[in-house]
Amino acid sequence: MKTRMTELLGIKHPIMLAGMAFVSLPKLVAAVSNAGGIGMLNSVVYTPDQIRDVIRQVKSLTDKPFGVNATLIFPNAKENIEIALGEKIPIINFALGKGDWIIKRAHEYGGKVLATVAIEKHARRAEMDGADGLVVTGHEAAAHGADAGTLVLIPLIARQTKLPIIAAGGFCDGRGLAAALVLGAEGISMGTRFMLTQECEMHQKAKELSLKATVEDTICSEKIDGLPGRWLKTPAAMKMAEKKPSFLQAFSSALQIKRMIDVPFFKLFLGGLKQRSVQDLARQAVSISGLKIAIDNGDFETGVLPMSQAIGLIKDLPTCKEVIERTVAEAQELVEAVRKKITS
């Protein structure tokens, strides 16, 4: 299936792996790229010393295009993107920050840059800065989004931009891909769907529990990590959404993050404070710690997991290749069926 997305990124199918912390690891990234989509490596959980080796792991697993993703308000994000640019990664995807410097540097070696946005003014800013495409995230998405749902947000931004749009938020199958194309997108990004695949290294217990979830088993809250976002309705997430973390919880979690990403404590604190309050930084520390617990141990009593509303449609654990091929095939069949229905 050819669209402006496939032409821009040099891929076979208009499907992207969302860059998910602790989930979008080399094995999963390479599997999506090898299947004809675009794998997106999440850089948030690595130190600058680690990210170069991780990028090279992906290169050893695939000769297809892949990208590196960074949430710019997080510690080490700038440093990790600098390394990705030095490695001349073909696709860079940034979110929650100004990426004009990334766009300039990537374009110098022929790389492409995708800006993730959830509101129209950020879409306009990214286009003015020279981004090559937009990942537009609707309210149905896992983790961070704004209030507008995909059904309204995609056509709203499509009317205002000449850039190719990759729709994100609630997509997991061919019906979603077909709908995204009609709404004005050139393809889709999927996170939750790829989380529940054989190549994803999330704990098997976490996968099994996720497969039992319904469309009503997610929660939207600003209190879990300090930003508006959608999470699986776990006992831990419900508690975190009801009250702010204690000082002891926050300090303990912040120390874990410091060790994990090897960033000086003062940098972790002062860097985050430029964007957020002390209370939000505490929530971020607790949520990242809980995220790792859920993914590594399948523990939903103390762990939290970003989750799209699409979870209610997902009931199996296929390979990435199977997901991509059946999604594209179903979308093509549905588009053709609708065309026949209209013309008959």
Side-chain angles (χ1 to χ4, degrees):
M1 179 184 285
K2 290 184 179 181
T3 70
R4 291 169 68 204
M5 175 184 172
T6 63
E7 293 174 355
L8 175 69
L9 305 183
I11 57 178
K12 184 178 180 181
H13 301 302
I15 294 174
M16 185 177 94
L17 166 68
M20 300 171 283
F22 303 112
V23 175
S24 297
L25 305 179
K27 182 179 177 181
L28 183 59
V29 172
V32 172
S33 288
N34 285 332
I38 186 76
M40 193 62 62
L41 176 70
N42 181 278
S43 67
V44 167
V45 298
Y46 300 109
T47 69
D49 288 337
Q50 292 170 335
I51 191 64
R52 183 176 283 105
D53 289 337
V54 175
I55 287 171
R56 291 175 181 177
Q57 284 180 43
V58 179
K59 288 181 177 179
S60 74
L61 296 171
T62 183
D63 60 358
K64 301 292 192 298
F66 70 95
V68 171
N69 161 281
T71 303
L72 296 180
I73 65 170
F74 288 164
N76 288 340
K78 182 178 186 296
E79 293 85 346
N80 287 347
I81 285 296
E82 289 276 6
I83 290 169
L85 291 165
E87 290 287 314
K88 297 184 178 179
I89 299 301
I91 315 297
I92 303 290
N93 172 218
F94 72 89
L96 295 178
K98 189 165 172 54
D100 52 345
W101 63 276
I102 300 172
I103 295 165
K104 182 177 182 297
R105 290 273 305 280
H107 286 177
E108 288 174 358
Y109 64 80
K112 306 298 182 184
V113 179
L114 304 173
T116 295
V117 301
I119 58 177
E120 55 184 308
K121 74 174 182 179
H122 291 164
R124 290 195 298 269
R125 179 75 258 179
E127 184 169 22
M128 288 174 61
D129 286 342
D132 300 289
L134 302 172
V135 181
V136 178
T137 305
H139 186 62
E140 301 91 331
H144 306 126
D147 292 333
T150 301
L151 188 65
V152 172
L153 188 62
I154 299 300
L156 176 67
I157 293 179
R159 290 174 182 173
Q160 301 179 41
T161 182
K162 296 179 180 178
L163 297 180
I165 289 173
I166 301 171
F171 297 102
C172 68
D173 56 18
R175 289 185 181 276
L177 175 55
L181 295 174
V182 172
L183 289 172
E186 303 290 336
I188 57 174
S189 171
M190 298 194 294
T192 300
R193 173 65 277 185
F194 283 124
M195 187 186 295
L196 296 171
T197 57
Q198 293 178 27
E199 292 91 345
C200 177
E201 297 173 82
M202 185 169 72
H203 197 283
Q204 186 64 24
K205 182 180 177 182
K207 291 182 180 181
E208 291 170 358
L209 290 171
S210 296
L211 287 173
K212 295 177 182 177
T214 71
V215 71
E216 284 130 12
D217 289 328
T218 66
I219 179 174
C220 277
S221 175
E222 297 182 0
K223 294 182 179 180
I224 293 176
D225 75 345
L227 292 168
R230 184 179 299 280
W231 303 77
L232 188 64
K233 198 182 289 183
T234 67
M238 295 297 289
K239 289 178 184 176
M240 291 165 69
E242 291 169 2
K243 61 182 180 180
K244 62 183 179 182
S246 68
F247 176 80
L248 183 61
Q249 276 182 304
F251 187 75
S252 174
S253 297
L255 286 177
Q256 290 181 45
I257 296 171
K258 176 188 178 298
R259 288 192 294 268
M260 188 189 310
I261 61 176
D262 191 29
V263 62
F265 200 82
F266 77 90
K267 180 182 176 184
L268 181 68
F269 181 80
L270 293 177
L273 205 57
K274 291 178 183 177
Q275 302 282 346
R276 310 164 77 176
S277 68
V278 172
Q279 190 175 96
D280 285 344
L281 286 174
R283 289 189 171 110
Q284 178 187 316
V286 173
S287 68
I288 291 177
S289 176
L291 175 58
K292 188 164 175 57
I293 288 169
I295 290 169
D296 288 353
N297 305 326
D299 177 2
F300 285 175
E301 292 298 320
T302 55
V304 294
L305 197 61
M307 192 67 72
S308 162
Q309 286 182 324
I311 189 60
L313 298 171
I314 300 171
K315 300 302 174 189
D316 61 351
L317 287 171
T319 66
C320 292
K321 187 173 187 292
E322 289 169 339
V323 167
I324 290 174
E325 289 183 350
R326 77 186 186 194
T327 297
V328 171
E330 182 183 20
Q332 289 172 326
E333 290 174 6
L334 287 167
V335 170
E336 181 62 20
V338 170
R339 187 190 67 79
K340 290 179 178 178
K341 186 185 295 186
I342 293 172
T343 58
S344 61

